[in-house]
Amino acid sequence: MTSPTSQNSGPGALPVIAPRGEFDYETVPILQTQIDAAVAIHGGVILDATDITFTDSVFLTMLLTTHQRSRLRIANPSPRLTRIFSICGVDQVLHIYPTVHAARTA
């Protein structure tokens, strides 16, 4: 896993966090810290899921918890991540967009 990166998208817009690698019970806390900081300042975040290669239930729990307390938008999930979202039914709850641009303009 490499560290998440953050990109600002302009005044008033939600920041974009683009994590890379695997996210499980050992690595989710690093991502959660960055998401929490963005939510505290901006009230939400766009998670660019392009480079997420593996997730587990801890990651899904983090997404659902973040969704409940903020404006979470997930952009560009891989087909594998999209399938996991579908199998778990979280695709019916989370705000998922095909691109970061679509998430920004939603």
Side-chain angles (χ1 to χ4, degrees), residues 1-88:
M1 178 198 94
T2 58
S3 299
T5 60
S6 180
Q7 309 162 354
N8 270 333
S9 51
L14 295 178
V16 177
I17 296 177
R20 295 182 184 149
E22 298 182 358
F23 290 91
D24 58 19
Y25 73 97
E26 291 181 354
T27 55
V28 163
I30 298 165
L31 179 59
Q32 182 71 63
T33 299
Q34 191 169 12
I35 289 173
D36 288 347
V39 167
I41 295 168
H42 301 281
V45 66
I46 296 171
L47 182 70
D48 180 352
T50 302
D51 294 320
I52 295 175
T53 57
F54 174 82
T55 64
D56 68 4
S57 61
V58 175
F59 178 81
L60 293 176
T61 300
M62 181 213 47
L63 292 180
L64 290 169
T65 302
T66 302
H67 169 77
Q68 289 177 333
R69 64 182 177 82
S70 71
R71 294 179 296 149
L72 172 66
R73 297 176 187 165
I74 300 169
N76 200 27
S78 68
R80 181 176 183 183
L81 191 54
T82 300
R83 185 168 185 263
I84 291 169
F85 289 165
S86 176
I87 288 170
C88 296

